[in-house]
Amino acid sequence: MPVIVHFWAPWCGLCRLIDPLLDQLEQSLPHRLQILRINADENFALSRHFQLTSLPTLLFFDRGELVQRFDPALVKGDFRQALQQLLAHSFPSLLPAESHRS
């Protein structure tokens, strides 16, 4: 099962904005996608292991392998659209065909 790891912190405003979108995504793909939320402040060793430079950071894993990193703070424009494009690229089998057409 593909996994998205969401590194966040309580003080991070953008993290709180992203959370409802991730909840919606997880609910729309039950038993097909798992989202793990990790408080970066409480898991410093793990944050350092993945060399986080900003929060939030999303890590996309497929079959235990890191396939993509996503730093929403660097997104210019619509975050939701950027996330859809990244999902279509990283996990094309999860989304309906019209979601990842060029």
Side-chain angles (χ1 to χ4, degrees):
M1 174 184 301
V3 176
I4 297 175
V5 179
H6 175 208
F7 281 94
W8 66 280
W11 49 263
C12 172
L14 187 54
C15 298
R16 288 190 303 271
L17 291 174
I18 288 171
D19 231 17
L21 294 174
L22 294 175
D23 287 340
Q24 186 179 52
L25 178 64
E26 190 172 34
Q27 290 173 6
S28 70
L29 297 166
H31 311 293
R32 296 181 59 208
L33 174 70
Q34 183 176 10
I35 298 178
L36 300 175
R37 290 163 174 85
I38 297 177
N39 183 327
D41 290 343
E42 294 176 356
N43 294 281
F44 184 73
L46 195 55
S47 299
R48 213 169 91 197
H49 173 77
F50 286 108
Q51 301 174 348
L52 301 186
T53 57
S54 64
L55 293 177
T57 295
L58 304 176
L59 302 179
F60 293 71
F61 290 87
D62 193 18
R63 296 182 184 103
E65 297 288 324
L66 178 63
V67 295
Q68 190 72 265
R69 294 177 69 99
F70 185 58
D71 181 350
L74 300 178
V75 172
K76 294 179 181 165
D78 184 1
F79 166 76
R80 186 183 305 257
Q81 181 180 2
L83 181 59
Q84 285 274 335
Q85 289 173 346
L86 184 60
L87 282 169
H89 175 74
S90 299
F91 308 129
S93 64
L94 291 180
L95 301 175
E98 62 272 8
S99 295
H100 55 86
R101 286 188 186 144
S102 299

